[in-house]
Amino acid sequence: MRISAVQRTENENRIRAAMDRLLRGEIPPGGKCDIKTLAIEAAVDRTAFYGTRPYSHLRVEFERRVQALQDAGETPDPREAQIARLIAENSKLRKRLAQSEQTIDALSDFRTQALARLAAQHEEIVRLHEAAAKADGVTRLPTSRAATKVIGSCS
């Protein structure tokens, strides 16, 4: 079915208006900033944007404008911006997790070494006490009971 020049102009105007809305970020629920949503918003058959169809030049213009916005660092589709933000956040959190795991491993190694040193020192102290108890020339000093006796006022 052929359309008249007036109908074609009206369709192009609707397409351009829908294109401007989408590029401003006014994306309908369930839509994206793509040709399918553009066709739905302009009430035009999507196949009219491909090949040698009448609105293929508008598809090229739309894709060029979308690419220009993306190159400028803007994203007309808020979902795509959210996806990009979440991917970056996910990457950042994975790096933090890896650093945390490295820190935990280092602290666990330090803890193991410290416990091993404490155990070795304890064994050495016990050995020295036993050696001192067996030695004849060592005199043991009496334990001081004065440390437990309170002299004077504590206040």
Side-chain angles (χ1 to χ4, degrees):
M1 173 170 103
R2 291 238 175 236
I3 60 173
S4 68
V6 173
Q7 289 174 323
R8 183 174 174 156
T9 304
E10 288 175 3
N11 287 347
E12 285 186 7
N13 289 338
R14 278 199 322 270
I15 292 169
R16 287 185 194 283
M19 189 184 309
D20 290 338
R21 285 193 308 273
L22 291 177
L23 293 174
R24 279 194 310 265
E26 298 174 19
I27 309 221
K32 296 180 182 179
C33 191
D34 61 358
I35 296 297
K36 179 180 177 182
T37 306
L38 178 62
I40 292 169
E41 286 292 298
V44 175
D45 185 29
R46 184 173 53 166
T47 59
F49 289 102
Y50 295 99
T52 59
R53 300 292 177 112
Y55 308 121
S56 63
H57 67 284
L58 292 175
R59 176 185 54 85
V60 171
E61 178 185 340
F62 179 69
E63 290 172 348
R64 182 186 48 78
R65 289 176 64 186
V66 168
Q67 187 62 45
L69 282 175
Q70 290 173 346
D71 291 344
E74 297 180 30
T75 308
D77 191 347
R79 289 182 313 162
E80 289 180 21
Q82 182 181 22
I83 290 169
R85 181 184 56 79
L86 290 174
I87 287 172
E89 185 177 340
N90 188 7
S91 175
K92 180 180 172 185
L93 290 173
R94 285 183 187 274
K95 286 178 185 175
R96 282 183 56 195
L97 179 62
Q99 289 174 346
S100 296
E101 288 174 349
Q102 288 176 349
T103 302
I104 288 170
D105 289 343
L107 291 174
S108 295
D109 290 344
F110 177 77
R111 179 178 174 260
T112 303
Q113 290 174 359
L115 288 174
R117 288 179 186 154
L118 285 172
Q121 289 172 355
H122 178 71
E123 288 177 13
E124 181 67 13
I125 290 170
V126 169
R127 186 188 64 75
L128 290 173
H129 277 293
E130 290 173 356
K134 291 180 185 177
D136 290 333
V138 177
T139 310
R140 295 197 55 82
L141 297 174
T143 58
S144 172
R145 295 191 183 256
T148 60
K149 185 177 175 186
V150 177
I151 300 176
S153 170
C154 293
S155 56

